[in-house]
Amino acid sequence: MPTRDHEGRPLSDFMMLIPRLGRRPADQLRRTLHEINAVLTQYRHAVVFADMNLRINVLWVTVRPIPGICLELPAALKTRVPEAMLVAQRAQ
């Protein structure tokens, strides 16, 4: 996973948990993956890397340093995949 863009600026990333995605029937899985892909395509200007790990049901997305993108993009994903949950680190 890249940590810097081609100009050396740091990239950001986030994870979303989609419970039991890997255990869904094939047609439901296909539809959900299509919805995720549609959102990521819509945000292709911001997305540098995306990985859907069906073994642990986690979507990992790395994005360019665009203000607000780490809230806007997960919100767009949640609109299309309501069961998706943003994984956040607890503030200390």
Side-chain angles (χ1 to χ4, degrees):
M1 289 169 264
T3 58
R4 298 199 173 269
D5 69 8
H6 63 278
E7 295 175 3
R9 292 179 298 193
L11 299 171
S12 298
D13 45 34
F14 64 87
M15 292 188 317
M16 294 192 83
L17 176 64
I18 306 171
R20 296 174 296 285
L21 179 62
R23 294 187 181 148
R24 292 185 187 168
D27 61 326
Q28 283 184 1
L29 175 60
R30 218 174 359 265
R31 277 195 304 271
T32 302
L33 294 176
H34 174 76
E35 294 295 336
I36 292 167
N37 187 58
V39 174
L40 295 176
T41 299
Q42 179 183 353
Y43 282 87
R44 68 180 162 266
H45 67 282
V47 176
V48 175
F49 173 84
D51 178 61
M52 182 70 239
N53 185 324
L54 292 174
R55 188 173 54 78
I56 60 172
N57 304 310
V58 169
L59 172 64
W60 183 284
V61 182
T62 301
V63 292
R64 298 185 195 290
I66 299 171
I69 198 68
C70 284
L71 294 176
E72 182 181 334
L73 181 49
L77 285 161
K78 186 150 182 75
T79 297
R80 299 283 287 266
V81 183
E83 64 276 21
M85 298 179 285
L86 183 61
V87 178
Q89 187 172 358
R90 188 175 290 208
Q92 297 184 10

